[in-house]
């Protein structure tokens, strides 16, 4: 199985996805805080396991825009990650919430 998240484009719209909604509702954080936190943790996981072991595929959210404007630098992607990566992200959020002082 896998989980799908949207790409991180700072200062731009955040497309909704189930893991984002789950983190927001479980930990009462903003959309941007949840999205950025998910990507920070994803980056850490990729440093350990390698991108090829974590990212299964990337697809443009709006493929027609790539066709109509192929030089556009602001392309947003759906990123499919492994269930293990999604579970690790959930566990990291839970651990942080259980130990907010970092002890």
């Amino acid at each position: 199985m896998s989980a799908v998240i949207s790409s991180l484009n700072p200062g731009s719209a955040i497309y909704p996805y189930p893991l984002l909604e789950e983190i927001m509702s479980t930990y009462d954080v903003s959309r941007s805080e949840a999205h950025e936190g998910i990507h920070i943790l994803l980056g850490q996981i990729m440093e350990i396991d390698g991108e090829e072991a974590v990212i299964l595929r990337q697809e443009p959210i709006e493929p027609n825009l790539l066709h109509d404007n192929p030089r556009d630098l602001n392309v947003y992607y759906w990123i499919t990650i492994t269930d293990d990566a999604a579970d690790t992200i959930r566990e990291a959020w839970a651990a942080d919430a259980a130990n907010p002082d970092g002890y």
Side-chain angles (χ1 to χ4, degrees):
M1 291 294 295
S2 58
V4 177
I5 65 172
S6 66
S7 57
L8 180 64
N9 293 2
S12 299
I14 300 170
Y15 288 84
Y17 52 93
L19 182 59
L20 175 71
E21 300 297 328
E22 177 185 331
I23 297 297
M24 287 172 47
S25 66
T26 303
Y27 302 104
D28 193 31
V29 295
S30 70
R31 180 180 295 270
S32 61
E33 185 178 0
H35 187 59
E36 289 171 15
I38 289 167
H39 277 276
I40 288 168
L41 293 166
L42 181 61
Q44 294 171 352
I45 295 165
M46 288 190 304
E47 284 180 18
I48 295 167
D49 295 341
E51 183 175 341
E52 64 284 346
V54 177
I55 304 292
L56 301 176
R57 83 177 151 271
Q58 295 187 51
E59 299 174 20
I61 290 174
E62 298 184 36
N64 292 342
L65 292 180
L66 282 177
H67 183 269
D68 295 341
N69 190 5
R71 294 183 187 189
D72 189 357
L73 299 177
N74 294 317
V75 178
Y76 300 93
Y77 290 92
W78 290 122
I79 302 169
T80 305
I81 62 174
T82 63
D83 272 344
D84 286 343
D87 288 343
T88 300
I89 291 168
R90 287 182 185 99
E91 291 166 5
W93 275 91
D96 188 55
N99 196 7
D101 296 326
Y103 299 107

